[in-house]
Amino acid sequence: MGVYLLLAVGATTAITDATAACTAWPVCGDGWTLPTTVDGYVAVGHRLVALAVGLLVVATAVVGWRRRESRRVRAALAVSVLLYPVQAAVGALVATSGVTLALSVLHLAVAMVIFGGLVAALAWTLEVQTGDPDDVPESAPEPDLPPADDRSPEIPSEPVARAKATANAYFRLMKPRLMWLLCLVASAGMALAAGSQGLDIVTVLATLGGGALSIGASGTFNHVLERDIDRRMNRTSDRPLATDLVPVRNAIAFGVVLAALSLALFASVNLLAAALGLAAILFYSVVYTLILKPNTVQNTVIGGAAGALPAIIGWVAVTGSIGLGGIALATLIFLWTPAHFYNLALAYKDDYERGGFPMMPVVRGETTTRRHILWYLGATLLAAGALAASEALGWVYVVSGVLVGAVFLWAVVRLHYEQTESAAFRAFHASNAYLGVTLLAIVVDTLAI
Protein backbone atom coordinates (compact mmCIF):
# COMPACT_ATOMS: atom_id res chain seq x y z
CA MET A 1 0.00 0.00 0.00
CA GLY A 2 3.00 2.28 0.32
CA VAL A 3 3.46 2.26 -3.45
CA TYR A 4 -0.25 2.89 -3.89
CA LEU A 5 -0.09 5.83 -1.49
CA LEU A 6 2.70 7.32 -3.60
CA LEU A 7 0.73 6.70 -6.77
CA ALA A 8 -2.39 8.43 -5.50
CA VAL A 9 -0.56 11.29 -3.81
CA GLY A 10 1.67 11.76 -6.86
CA ALA A 11 -1.36 12.04 -9.11
CA THR A 12 -2.85 14.65 -6.80
CA THR A 13 0.42 16.53 -6.22
CA ALA A 14 0.92 16.89 -9.96
CA ILE A 15 -2.21 19.03 -10.25
CA THR A 16 -1.54 21.30 -7.25
CA ASP A 17 1.07 23.96 -6.60
CA ALA A 18 3.23 21.47 -4.69
CA THR A 19 5.52 20.67 -7.58
CA ALA A 20 5.94 24.30 -8.57
CA ALA A 21 6.76 25.23 -4.96
CA CYS A 22 9.88 23.06 -4.91
CA THR A 23 11.62 23.02 -8.29
CA ALA A 24 14.95 21.58 -7.18
CA TRP A 25 16.10 18.08 -6.26
CA PRO A 26 16.34 16.35 -3.85
CA VAL A 27 15.03 19.17 -1.64
CA CYS A 28 14.30 22.80 -2.62
CA GLY A 29 16.19 26.01 -3.44
CA ASP A 30 19.72 25.01 -4.42
CA GLY A 31 18.81 21.35 -3.96
CA TRP A 32 19.51 21.21 -0.24
CA THR A 33 17.36 24.01 1.15
CA LEU A 34 14.27 23.34 3.23
CA PRO A 35 10.98 24.52 1.73
CA THR A 36 9.31 27.70 2.96
CA THR A 37 5.69 26.92 2.09
CA VAL A 38 3.17 24.20 2.90
CA ASP A 39 3.12 23.11 -0.75
CA GLY A 40 6.89 22.82 -0.68
CA TYR A 41 6.73 20.55 2.35
CA VAL A 42 4.11 18.45 0.57
CA ALA A 43 6.51 17.96 -2.33
CA VAL A 44 9.47 17.12 -0.08
CA GLY A 45 7.32 14.81 2.04
CA HIS A 46 6.32 12.96 -1.12
CA ARG A 47 10.00 12.43 -1.96
CA LEU A 48 10.86 11.21 1.54
CA VAL A 49 7.98 8.73 1.52
CA ALA A 50 9.13 7.59 -1.92
CA LEU A 51 12.59 6.87 -0.50
CA ALA A 52 11.18 4.86 2.41
CA VAL A 53 8.80 2.91 0.18
CA GLY A 54 11.61 2.25 -2.29
CA LEU A 55 13.66 0.64 0.45
CA LEU A 56 10.66 -1.52 1.38
CA VAL A 57 10.24 -2.59 -2.25
CA VAL A 58 13.91 -3.60 -2.41
CA ALA A 59 13.62 -5.46 0.90
CA THR A 60 10.53 -7.31 -0.38
CA ALA A 61 12.36 -8.34 -3.53
CA VAL A 62 15.37 -9.55 -1.52
CA VAL A 63 13.12 -11.66 0.70
CA GLY A 64 11.40 -13.09 -2.36
CA TRP A 65 14.67 -14.10 -3.97
CA ARG A 66 16.13 -15.54 -0.75
CA ARG A 67 13.00 -17.63 -0.18
CA ARG A 68 13.30 -18.88 -3.73
CA GLU A 69 9.76 -17.91 -4.68
CA SER A 70 8.48 -19.03 -8.07
CA ARG A 71 10.02 -17.59 -11.22
CA ARG A 72 6.99 -15.46 -12.01
CA VAL A 73 6.97 -13.96 -8.50
CA ARG A 74 10.65 -13.05 -8.75
CA ALA A 75 10.10 -11.63 -12.25
CA ALA A 76 7.26 -9.42 -11.01
CA LEU A 77 9.37 -8.19 -8.10
CA ALA A 78 12.32 -7.57 -10.41
CA VAL A 79 10.18 -5.41 -12.70
CA SER A 80 9.03 -3.31 -9.74
CA VAL A 81 12.54 -2.89 -8.35
CA LEU A 82 14.11 -2.00 -11.71
CA LEU A 83 11.41 0.52 -12.52
CA TYR A 84 11.59 2.25 -9.14
CA PRO A 85 14.71 4.32 -9.90
CA VAL A 86 13.20 5.14 -13.30
CA GLN A 87 10.14 6.44 -11.48
CA ALA A 88 12.35 8.50 -9.16
CA ALA A 89 14.21 9.96 -12.15
CA VAL A 90 10.95 10.93 -13.85
CA GLY A 91 9.83 12.54 -10.58
CA ALA A 92 13.06 14.54 -10.40
CA LEU A 93 12.59 15.64 -14.01
CA VAL A 94 9.03 16.76 -13.26
CA ALA A 95 10.29 18.81 -10.30
CA THR A 96 13.21 20.48 -12.03
CA SER A 97 11.83 21.08 -15.51
CA GLY A 98 8.20 21.76 -14.70
CA VAL A 99 5.03 19.72 -15.01
CA THR A 100 4.03 18.76 -18.52
CA LEU A 101 1.23 16.46 -19.58
CA ALA A 102 3.64 13.93 -21.10
CA LEU A 103 5.81 13.75 -17.96
CA SER A 104 2.79 13.54 -15.67
CA VAL A 105 1.32 10.69 -17.68
CA LEU A 106 4.67 8.88 -17.77
CA HIS A 107 5.14 9.37 -14.01
CA LEU A 108 1.69 7.92 -13.30
CA ALA A 109 2.08 5.06 -15.81
CA VAL A 110 5.38 3.87 -14.35
CA ALA A 111 3.90 3.97 -10.85
CA MET A 112 1.01 1.83 -12.06
CA VAL A 113 3.36 -0.76 -13.52
CA ILE A 114 5.34 -0.90 -10.25
CA PHE A 115 2.16 -1.34 -8.23
CA GLY A 116 0.87 -3.92 -10.67
CA GLY A 117 4.08 -5.92 -10.34
CA LEU A 118 3.76 -6.01 -6.56
CA VAL A 119 0.09 -7.04 -6.74
CA ALA A 120 1.01 -9.82 -9.17
CA ALA A 121 3.77 -11.05 -6.87
CA LEU A 122 1.38 -11.03 -3.91
CA ALA A 123 -1.35 -12.88 -5.82
CA TRP A 124 1.00 -15.60 -7.06
CA THR A 125 2.63 -16.00 -3.65
CA LEU A 126 -0.73 -16.39 -1.92
CA GLU A 127 -1.83 -18.87 -4.57
CA VAL A 128 1.19 -21.08 -3.86
CA GLN A 129 0.87 -20.77 -0.08
CA THR A 130 -2.89 -21.17 0.27
CA GLY A 131 -4.26 -22.54 -3.00
CA ASP A 132 -5.34 -26.03 -3.97
CA PRO A 133 -4.48 -26.86 -7.60
CA ASP A 134 -6.95 -29.76 -7.54
CA ASP A 135 -10.06 -27.76 -6.64
CA VAL A 136 -10.98 -27.04 -10.29
CA PRO A 137 -14.32 -28.75 -11.08
CA GLU A 138 -14.20 -31.39 -13.78
CA SER A 139 -17.42 -30.30 -15.51
CA ALA A 140 -19.83 -27.40 -15.77
CA PRO A 141 -22.53 -27.23 -13.09
CA GLU A 142 -25.86 -28.93 -13.70
CA PRO A 143 -29.01 -27.79 -11.90
CA ASP A 144 -29.63 -29.99 -8.90
CA LEU A 145 -32.47 -28.30 -7.07
CA PRO A 146 -35.39 -29.76 -5.16
CA PRO A 147 -38.79 -29.54 -6.87
CA ALA A 148 -40.64 -26.30 -6.30
CA ASP A 149 -43.38 -28.24 -4.49
CA ASP A 150 -40.88 -29.10 -1.76
CA ARG A 151 -40.81 -25.44 -0.76
CA SER A 152 -43.83 -24.31 1.24
CA PRO A 153 -43.23 -20.76 2.47
CA GLU A 154 -45.44 -19.47 5.25
CA ILE A 155 -47.83 -16.71 4.16
CA PRO A 156 -49.68 -14.72 6.85
CA SER A 157 -53.42 -15.32 6.83
CA GLU A 158 -54.45 -12.46 9.11
CA PRO A 159 -55.44 -9.46 6.89
CA VAL A 160 -53.26 -6.78 8.49
CA ALA A 161 -50.23 -9.05 8.69
CA ARG A 162 -50.71 -10.14 5.08
CA ALA A 163 -51.05 -6.51 3.94
CA LYS A 164 -47.79 -5.63 5.68
CA ALA A 165 -46.09 -8.66 4.18
CA THR A 166 -47.36 -7.75 0.72
CA ALA A 167 -46.19 -4.13 1.01
CA ASN A 168 -42.80 -5.36 2.16
CA ALA A 169 -42.75 -7.80 -0.76
CA TYR A 170 -43.23 -4.98 -3.30
CA PHE A 171 -40.48 -3.04 -1.57
CA ARG A 172 -38.13 -6.04 -1.74
CA LEU A 173 -38.89 -6.48 -5.44
CA MET A 174 -37.00 -3.24 -6.03
CA LYS A 175 -33.79 -4.61 -4.42
CA PRO A 176 -33.41 -1.64 -2.04
CA ARG A 177 -29.97 -2.81 -0.87
CA LEU A 178 -28.61 -1.86 -4.27
CA MET A 179 -30.30 1.53 -4.36
CA TRP A 180 -28.16 3.43 -1.87
CA LEU A 181 -24.89 2.36 -3.43
CA LEU A 182 -25.88 2.94 -7.06
CA CYS A 183 -27.47 6.29 -6.19
CA LEU A 184 -24.19 7.20 -4.50
CA VAL A 185 -22.42 6.23 -7.75
CA ALA A 186 -24.68 8.62 -9.67
CA SER A 187 -24.11 11.31 -7.04
CA ALA A 188 -20.35 10.96 -7.42
CA GLY A 189 -20.72 11.22 -11.20
CA MET A 190 -22.72 14.43 -10.83
CA ALA A 191 -20.25 15.87 -8.32
CA LEU A 192 -17.27 15.13 -10.57
CA ALA A 193 -19.00 16.83 -13.47
CA ALA A 194 -20.05 19.89 -11.50
CA GLY A 195 -16.86 20.42 -9.49
CA SER A 196 -16.77 23.57 -7.44
CA GLN A 197 -19.65 25.10 -9.45
CA GLY A 198 -22.20 23.20 -7.39
CA LEU A 199 -25.29 21.30 -8.45
CA ASP A 200 -28.84 22.26 -9.27
CA ILE A 201 -31.13 20.65 -6.70
CA VAL A 202 -33.81 19.86 -9.27
CA THR A 203 -31.31 18.00 -11.44
CA VAL A 204 -30.02 16.08 -8.42
CA LEU A 205 -33.49 15.02 -7.27
CA ALA A 206 -34.64 14.05 -10.75
CA THR A 207 -31.48 12.06 -11.44
CA LEU A 208 -31.45 10.24 -8.12
CA GLY A 209 -35.19 9.62 -8.28
CA GLY A 210 -34.90 8.26 -11.80
CA GLY A 211 -31.94 6.15 -10.74
CA ALA A 212 -33.72 4.66 -7.74
CA LEU A 213 -36.78 3.82 -9.83
CA SER A 214 -34.68 2.29 -12.63
CA ILE A 215 -32.93 0.08 -10.07
CA GLY A 216 -36.36 -0.88 -8.73
CA ALA A 217 -37.59 -1.74 -12.22
CA SER A 218 -34.48 -3.79 -13.01
CA GLY A 219 -34.75 -5.66 -9.72
CA THR A 220 -38.44 -6.40 -10.28
CA PHE A 221 -37.87 -7.80 -13.76
CA ASN A 222 -34.98 -9.87 -12.39
CA HIS A 223 -37.31 -11.37 -9.78
CA VAL A 224 -39.88 -12.17 -12.46
CA LEU A 225 -37.41 -13.89 -14.77
CA GLU A 226 -35.72 -15.93 -12.03
CA ARG A 227 -38.82 -16.81 -10.00
CA ASP A 228 -38.73 -20.56 -10.77
CA ILE A 229 -35.12 -20.98 -9.65
CA ASP A 230 -35.65 -18.63 -6.71
CA ARG A 231 -38.30 -20.97 -5.31
CA ARG A 232 -35.83 -23.81 -5.18
CA MET A 233 -32.61 -22.15 -3.98
CA ASN A 234 -31.93 -21.73 -0.27
CA ARG A 235 -30.65 -18.17 -0.65
CA THR A 236 -33.65 -16.91 -2.62
CA SER A 237 -36.58 -19.08 -1.52
CA ASP A 238 -38.07 -16.24 0.54
CA ARG A 239 -38.19 -13.73 -2.33
CA PRO A 240 -41.58 -12.10 -3.06
CA LEU A 241 -42.50 -14.07 -6.18
CA ALA A 242 -41.16 -17.30 -4.68
CA THR A 243 -43.57 -16.94 -1.76
CA ASP A 244 -46.56 -16.03 -3.98
CA LEU A 245 -47.16 -12.82 -2.06
CA VAL A 246 -47.03 -10.93 -5.37
CA PRO A 247 -48.63 -12.42 -8.51
CA VAL A 248 -46.39 -12.46 -11.58
CA ARG A 249 -48.79 -10.27 -13.55
CA ASN A 250 -48.77 -7.64 -10.80
CA ALA A 251 -44.98 -7.74 -10.58
CA ILE A 252 -44.62 -7.16 -14.32
CA ALA A 253 -47.04 -4.22 -14.17
CA PHE A 254 -45.17 -2.85 -11.15
CA GLY A 255 -41.86 -3.06 -13.01
CA VAL A 256 -43.28 -1.36 -16.10
CA VAL A 257 -44.67 1.51 -13.99
CA LEU A 258 -41.32 1.95 -12.22
CA ALA A 259 -39.47 1.95 -15.54
CA ALA A 260 -41.86 4.51 -17.06
CA LEU A 261 -41.58 6.84 -14.07
CA SER A 262 -37.81 6.43 -14.10
CA LEU A 263 -37.49 7.34 -17.78
CA ALA A 264 -39.84 10.31 -17.32
CA LEU A 265 -37.63 11.70 -14.55
CA PHE A 266 -34.48 11.12 -16.57
CA ALA A 267 -36.05 12.76 -19.62
CA SER A 268 -36.85 15.84 -17.52
CA VAL A 269 -33.09 16.19 -17.08
CA ASN A 270 -32.08 15.40 -20.68
CA LEU A 271 -32.80 12.76 -23.31
CA LEU A 272 -29.33 11.22 -23.20
CA ALA A 273 -29.80 10.46 -19.49
CA ALA A 274 -33.13 8.81 -20.34
CA ALA A 275 -31.54 6.72 -23.09
CA LEU A 276 -28.80 5.56 -20.75
CA GLY A 277 -31.37 4.79 -18.06
CA LEU A 278 -33.30 2.60 -20.49
CA ALA A 279 -30.05 0.89 -21.50
CA ALA A 280 -29.28 0.16 -17.84
CA ILE A 281 -32.71 -1.40 -17.24
CA LEU A 282 -32.52 -3.56 -20.36
CA PHE A 283 -28.92 -4.60 -19.74
CA TYR A 284 -29.53 -5.85 -16.21
CA SER A 285 -32.99 -7.31 -16.83
CA VAL A 286 -32.34 -9.00 -20.16
CA VAL A 287 -28.63 -9.19 -21.03
CA TYR A 288 -27.37 -10.08 -17.56
CA THR A 289 -30.31 -12.06 -16.18
CA LEU A 290 -31.21 -14.08 -19.28
CA ILE A 291 -27.95 -14.27 -21.25
CA LEU A 292 -24.88 -13.75 -19.09
CA LYS A 293 -25.75 -15.14 -15.66
CA PRO A 294 -26.86 -18.65 -16.76
CA ASN A 295 -24.37 -19.10 -19.61
CA THR A 296 -20.87 -17.72 -18.96
CA VAL A 297 -18.35 -17.66 -16.15
CA GLN A 298 -17.66 -14.04 -17.11
CA ASN A 299 -21.20 -13.03 -16.14
CA THR A 300 -20.00 -10.96 -13.19
CA VAL A 301 -17.27 -9.19 -15.15
CA ILE A 302 -19.44 -8.22 -18.12
CA GLY A 303 -22.43 -7.60 -15.90
CA GLY A 304 -20.40 -4.96 -14.09
CA ALA A 305 -21.43 -2.60 -16.88
CA ALA A 306 -24.89 -2.37 -15.28
CA GLY A 307 -23.41 -0.98 -12.08
CA ALA A 308 -21.05 1.32 -13.97
CA LEU A 309 -23.75 3.06 -16.02
CA PRO A 310 -25.04 5.22 -13.12
CA ALA A 311 -21.65 6.97 -13.04
CA ILE A 312 -22.06 8.01 -16.67
CA ILE A 313 -25.73 8.90 -16.12
CA GLY A 314 -24.73 11.20 -13.26
CA TRP A 315 -22.13 12.90 -15.44
CA VAL A 316 -24.56 13.23 -18.36
CA ALA A 317 -27.24 14.70 -16.09
CA VAL A 318 -24.95 17.68 -15.37
CA THR A 319 -23.11 18.12 -18.67
CA GLY A 320 -25.53 16.73 -21.27
CA SER A 321 -22.76 14.63 -22.82
CA ILE A 322 -20.53 11.66 -22.02
CA GLY A 323 -17.17 12.84 -20.68
CA LEU A 324 -13.82 11.43 -19.61
CA GLY A 325 -14.54 11.93 -15.90
CA GLY A 326 -17.72 9.90 -16.08
CA ILE A 327 -15.98 7.14 -18.02
CA ALA A 328 -13.11 7.06 -15.50
CA LEU A 329 -15.53 6.68 -12.58
CA ALA A 330 -17.49 4.02 -14.49
CA THR A 331 -14.25 2.13 -15.09
CA LEU A 332 -13.55 2.11 -11.37
CA ILE A 333 -17.03 0.66 -10.68
CA PHE A 334 -16.67 -1.89 -13.48
CA LEU A 335 -13.37 -3.19 -12.09
CA TRP A 336 -14.62 -3.15 -8.51
CA THR A 337 -17.63 -5.37 -9.30
CA PRO A 338 -15.78 -8.73 -9.61
CA ALA A 339 -13.60 -7.95 -6.58
CA HIS A 340 -16.85 -7.34 -4.71
CA PHE A 341 -19.20 -10.03 -5.98
CA TYR A 342 -16.76 -12.94 -6.19
CA ASN A 343 -16.68 -12.88 -2.37
CA LEU A 344 -20.42 -13.46 -2.32
CA ALA A 345 -20.05 -16.17 -4.96
CA LEU A 346 -17.58 -17.95 -2.67
CA ALA A 347 -19.95 -17.73 0.29
CA TYR A 348 -22.88 -19.10 -1.73
CA LYS A 349 -20.90 -21.44 -3.96
CA ASP A 350 -22.97 -24.54 -3.16
CA ASP A 351 -26.27 -22.76 -3.78
CA TYR A 352 -25.09 -21.39 -7.13
CA GLU A 353 -23.82 -24.83 -8.11
CA ARG A 354 -27.17 -26.44 -7.33
CA GLY A 355 -28.84 -23.70 -9.36
CA GLY A 356 -26.60 -24.47 -12.36
CA PHE A 357 -25.15 -20.95 -12.49
CA PRO A 358 -21.56 -20.88 -13.87
CA MET A 359 -20.13 -18.55 -11.22
CA MET A 360 -16.36 -18.31 -10.97
CA PRO A 361 -15.87 -20.59 -7.93
CA VAL A 362 -18.28 -23.14 -9.40
CA VAL A 363 -16.52 -23.34 -12.78
CA ARG A 364 -12.89 -22.40 -12.05
CA GLY A 365 -12.57 -23.32 -8.38
CA GLU A 366 -12.04 -21.35 -5.20
CA THR A 367 -8.28 -20.88 -5.64
CA THR A 368 -8.73 -19.19 -9.00
CA THR A 369 -11.59 -17.08 -7.64
CA ARG A 370 -9.51 -15.77 -4.75
CA ARG A 371 -6.71 -14.92 -7.17
CA HIS A 372 -9.14 -13.04 -9.40
CA ILE A 373 -10.48 -11.10 -6.42
CA LEU A 374 -6.97 -9.85 -5.72
CA TRP A 375 -6.32 -9.09 -9.40
CA TYR A 376 -9.50 -7.04 -9.70
CA LEU A 377 -8.85 -5.31 -6.39
CA GLY A 378 -5.45 -4.24 -7.72
CA ALA A 379 -7.06 -3.00 -10.93
CA THR A 380 -9.69 -1.12 -8.90
CA LEU A 381 -7.03 0.63 -6.85
CA LEU A 382 -5.17 1.58 -10.03
CA ALA A 383 -8.35 3.05 -11.53
CA ALA A 384 -8.98 4.98 -8.31
CA GLY A 385 -5.39 6.24 -8.35
CA ALA A 386 -5.74 7.44 -11.92
CA LEU A 387 -8.98 9.20 -10.99
CA ALA A 388 -7.01 11.18 -8.38
CA ALA A 389 -5.56 13.16 -11.28
CA SER A 390 -8.94 14.87 -11.69
CA GLU A 391 -8.72 18.57 -10.94
CA ALA A 392 -11.83 18.29 -8.76
CA LEU A 393 -10.29 15.81 -6.30
CA GLY A 394 -7.81 16.36 -3.51
CA TRP A 395 -6.60 15.06 -0.16
CA VAL A 396 -9.93 13.83 1.21
CA TYR A 397 -10.27 11.45 -1.72
CA VAL A 398 -6.65 10.29 -1.60
CA VAL A 399 -6.37 9.71 2.15
CA SER A 400 -9.75 8.00 2.52
CA GLY A 401 -9.12 5.86 -0.57
CA VAL A 402 -5.76 4.65 0.72
CA LEU A 403 -7.14 3.85 4.19
CA VAL A 404 -10.22 1.90 3.08
CA GLY A 405 -8.20 0.34 0.26
CA ALA A 406 -5.79 -1.03 2.85
CA VAL A 407 -8.70 -2.50 4.82
CA PHE A 408 -10.11 -4.10 1.66
CA LEU A 409 -6.71 -5.57 0.79
CA TRP A 410 -6.28 -6.92 4.33
CA ALA A 411 -9.69 -8.61 4.16
CA VAL A 412 -8.84 -10.24 0.82
CA VAL A 413 -5.48 -11.50 2.10
CA ARG A 414 -7.20 -12.95 5.18
CA LEU A 415 -9.70 -14.63 2.86
CA HIS A 416 -6.82 -16.48 1.19
CA TYR A 417 -5.62 -17.87 4.51
CA GLU A 418 -8.91 -18.52 6.30
CA GLN A 419 -10.99 -19.75 3.32
CA THR A 420 -14.25 -19.70 5.28
CA GLU A 421 -17.71 -18.35 4.64
CA SER A 422 -17.23 -15.70 7.33
CA ALA A 423 -13.97 -14.56 5.69
CA ALA A 424 -15.78 -14.27 2.34
CA PHE A 425 -18.51 -12.15 3.93
CA ARG A 426 -15.86 -10.01 5.66
CA ALA A 427 -14.19 -9.28 2.32
CA PHE A 428 -17.63 -8.66 0.78
CA HIS A 429 -18.49 -6.06 3.42
CA ALA A 430 -15.00 -4.53 3.13
CA SER A 431 -15.61 -4.07 -0.59
CA ASN A 432 -18.89 -2.28 0.13
CA ALA A 433 -17.16 -0.05 2.65
CA TYR A 434 -14.37 0.73 0.20
CA LEU A 435 -16.69 1.86 -2.56
CA GLY A 436 -19.05 3.70 -0.25
CA VAL A 437 -16.27 5.71 1.39
CA THR A 438 -14.56 6.38 -1.95
CA LEU A 439 -17.75 7.68 -3.55
CA LEU A 440 -18.63 9.78 -0.52
CA ALA A 441 -15.11 11.24 -0.56
CA ILE A 442 -15.60 12.23 -4.21
CA VAL A 443 -18.80 14.08 -3.30
CA VAL A 444 -17.21 15.82 -0.30
CA ASP A 445 -13.98 16.70 -2.09
CA THR A 446 -15.69 18.19 -5.13
CA LEU A 447 -18.62 19.98 -3.55
CA ALA A 448 -17.70 20.78 0.06
CA ILE A 449 -13.95 21.52 -0.01
Side-chain angles (χ1 to χ4, degrees):
M1 290 305 294
V3 173
Y4 182 68
L5 172 64
L6 287 174
L7 187 157
V9 171
T12 306
T13 302
I15 58 167
T16 66
D17 294 331
T19 304
C22 189
T23 57
W25 189 269
V27 195
C28 300
D30 59 358
W32 299 101
T33 304
L34 290 177
T36 57
T37 65
V38 173
D39 286 331
Y41 275 104
V42 169
V44 172
H46 179 64
R47 297 168 194 175
L48 291 175
V49 173
L51 175 61
V53 172
L55 294 175
L56 289 175
V57 171
V58 172
T60 301
V62 170
V63 170
W65 279 83
R66 293 189 65 177
R67 289 171 52 180
R68 298 186 180 278
E69 297 288 352
S70 66
R71 182 177 299 178
R72 59 183 181 177
V73 170
R74 286 181 288 172
L77 291 173
V79 169
S80 297
V81 170
L82 292 174
L83 283 179
Y84 209 89
V86 175
Q87 173 74 344
V90 174
L93 190 60
V94 168
T96 56
S97 64
V99 178
T100 66
L101 179 60
L103 283 177
S104 295
V105 171
L106 178 61
H107 196 46
L108 183 60
V110 175
M112 287 182 168
V113 175
I114 294 171
F115 179 72
L118 294 174
V119 170
L122 175 62
W124 289 327
T125 300
L126 289 174
E127 183 178 4
V128 171
Q129 292 180 355
T130 68
D132 178 5
D134 298 324
D135 77 344
V136 180
E138 296 180 358
S139 60
E142 294 290 340
D144 183 23
L145 296 172
D149 294 340
D150 288 357
R151 302 287 189 185
S152 54
E154 296 182 5
I155 301 175
S157 56
E158 196 272 324
V160 175
R162 186 180 178 92
K164 289 182 178 179
T166 301
N168 182 60
Y170 276 101
F171 181 67
R172 289 183 61 202
L173 279 176
M174 297 188 293
K175 297 198 173 182
R177 292 180 181 179
L178 295 177
M179 283 185 180
W180 74 271
L181 191 59
L182 293 180
C183 284
L184 191 53
V185 172
S187 299
M190 287 188 286
L192 270 179
S196 59
Q197 297 178 359
L199 289 168
D200 174 60
I201 188 63
V202 175
T203 299
V204 172
L205 293 177
T207 303
L208 295 182
L213 292 172
S214 69
I215 295 163
S218 301
T220 300
F221 293 140
N222 175 265
H223 278 282
V224 170
L225 294 170
E226 292 189 339
R227 64 188 183 278
D228 291 333
I229 291 180
D230 284 346
R231 285 191 179 97
R232 298 152 63 190
M233 290 179 64
N234 292 329
R235 188 174 70 90
T236 57
S237 60
D238 65 340
R239 284 183 172 177
L241 292 178
T243 58
D244 296 323
L245 274 171
V246 178
V248 175
R249 180 179 60 185
N250 291 11
I252 294 173
F254 183 61
V256 170
V257 170
L258 291 176
L261 292 174
S262 168
L263 296 180
L265 284 172
F266 280 141
S268 71
V269 178
N270 58 61
L271 292 180
L272 181 55
L276 291 171
L278 177 60
I281 294 172
L282 292 176
F283 186 87
Y284 184 78
S285 304
V286 179
V287 177
Y288 175 73
T289 302
L290 291 181
I291 300 174
L292 296 175
K293 187 175 180 180
N295 294 306
T296 174
V297 70
Q298 297 299 327
N299 48 25
T300 300
V301 176
I302 304 172
L309 276 172
I312 299 178
I313 292 173
W315 182 279
V316 166
V318 174
T319 65
S321 61
I322 298 175
L324 185 60
I327 294 174
L329 180 59
T331 300
L332 190 159
I333 306 300
F334 181 81
L335 295 170
W336 167 86
T337 301
H340 162 74
F341 184 78
Y342 282 161
N343 297 290
L344 200 63
L346 283 170
Y348 291 120
K349 175 189 172 184
D350 293 341
D351 222 17
Y352 281 124
E353 186 173 8
R354 285 193 297 269
F357 290 115
M359 298 302 180
M360 179 66 73
V362 175
V363 175
R364 302 281 175 82
E366 296 186 16
T367 298
T368 298
T369 303
R370 289 191 294 270
R371 184 178 72 243
H372 279 239
I373 291 173
L374 189 50
W375 280 119
Y376 278 105
L377 170 56
T380 300
L381 293 175
L382 285 176
L387 189 61
S390 169
E391 294 182 2
L393 299 177
W395 290 106
V396 171
Y397 172 77
V398 171
V399 173
S400 60
V402 170
L403 291 177
V404 291
V407 173
F408 191 4
L409 179 61
W410 171 83
V412 171
V413 172
R414 292 310 310 161
L415 172 63
H416 278 74
Y417 285 104
E418 296 178 19
Q419 301 180 19
T420 61
E421 182 179 300
S422 62
F425 276 119
R426 183 199 299 134
F428 173 79
H429 293 310
S431 70
N432 272 331
Y434 169 78
L435 189 63
V437 170
T438 298
L439 294 172
L440 188 60
I442 290 174
V443 174
V444 172
D445 227 349
T446 52
L447 298 181
I449 297 180

